[in-house]
Amino acid sequence: DAKTTQPPSMDCAEGRAANLPCNHSTISGNEYVYWYRQIHSQGPQYIIHGLKNNETNEMASLIITEDRKSSTLILPHATLRDTAVYYCIVRVADAGKSTFGDGTTLTVKP
Amino acid sequence: DTGVSQDPRHKITKRGQNVTFRCDPISEHNRLYWYRQTLGQGPEFLTYFQNEAQLEKSRLLSDRFSAERPKGSFSTLEIQRTEQGDSAMYLCASSHGQGKPNNEQFFGPGTRLTVL
């Protein structure tokens, strides 16, 4: 699995967009980008995933660069409940394990 | 609630005792995963099953650890002769599995193990 690099922490004002970056410069052509988040003391929660194209669902948007070496998770209107650790993972879709790094701790402030 | 349940949610044991955790995946999912997470770290992969077959085991899964999924439904993770270093959150996840276009993993709430 490709290694990912994320900033250790970020702050965001409530109501503003939170943009969380992830570098995955060694990603392979068949590897997807997955995002999860983990609120304190809970299990990780799946957010979104993509291969090449930008993706959007009810929780977030995923922007993947054309060379696929980096991506950005966008929470369009962050709320206090979005405070969590966000993990970016790259893996083949039907692979077994997911390799988590240390993630980005996002703190949404009033 | 993702539909993945784990039992117990918390376990306190003394060093040297055996413990067993249970995971019930989402019913239509044929893959089941176990991860371990220590404070301040991301989850670390331990093992996974496709139906009842255990397809991959991490080097983290020492001889004291054993996981089973006998009927391809629920799974158990047993730790024998627990050590203080086993203290962690044990997470279970499930997914549709091989050949499915969307193989995102859905995690349970975890079992927090404290070894005294």
Side-chain angles (χ1 to χ4, degrees), chain A residues 36 38 91 93-94 96 98, chain B residues 31 33 35 37 45 103 105:
Chain A
Y36 289 81
Q38 188 171 26
R91 64 175 172 86
D94 64 356
S98 289
Chain B
R31 281 199 180 175
Y33 312 79
Y35 291 81
Q37 185 174 27
F45 171 80
N103 191 33
Q105 298 176 11

Side-chain angles (χ1 to χ4, degrees), chain B residues 22-23 32 34 49-54 67-77:
Chain B
R22 176 181 170 122
C23 171
L32 186 149
W34 286 100
F49 295 83
Q50 172 92 16
N51 300 312
E52 65 275 10
Q54 188 172 18
E68 294 183 344
R69 195 183 183 198
K71 298 182 180 179
S73 57
F74 72 92
S75 175
T76 57
L77 178 68

Side-chain angles (χ1 to χ4, degrees), chain A residues 32 34 36 38 40-46 49 87 89 91-103, chain B residues 9 31 33 35 37 40-43 45 48 56 89 91 97-99 101-109 112:
Chain A
Y32 285 70
Y34 290 81
Y36 289 81
Q38 188 171 26
H40 182 63
S41 297
Q42 298 181 20
Q45 177 190 20
Y46 165 78
H49 74 282
Y87 296 100
I89 297 157
R91 64 175 172 86
V92 176
D94 64 356
K97 71 178 182 181
S98 289
T99 301
F100 288 79
D102 292 335
Chain B
R9 296 290 307 277
R31 281 199 180 175
Y33 312 79
Y35 291 81
Q37 185 174 27
Q41 306 290 320
F45 171 80
Y48 88 97
E56 185 174 355
M89 175 78 85
L91 294 161
Q98 190 175 17
N102 296 307
N103 191 33
E104 59 268 29
Q105 298 176 11
F106 293 90
F107 284 80
R112 180 161 301 281

Side-chain angles (χ1 to χ4, degrees), chain A residues 41-43, chain B residues 1-2 4-6 9 89-92 107-111:
Chain A
S41 297
Q42 298 181 20
Chain B
D1 184 359
T2 62
V4 179
S5 61
Q6 293 188 244
R9 296 290 307 277
M89 175 78 85
Y90 289 84
L91 294 161
C92 176
F107 284 80
T111 294

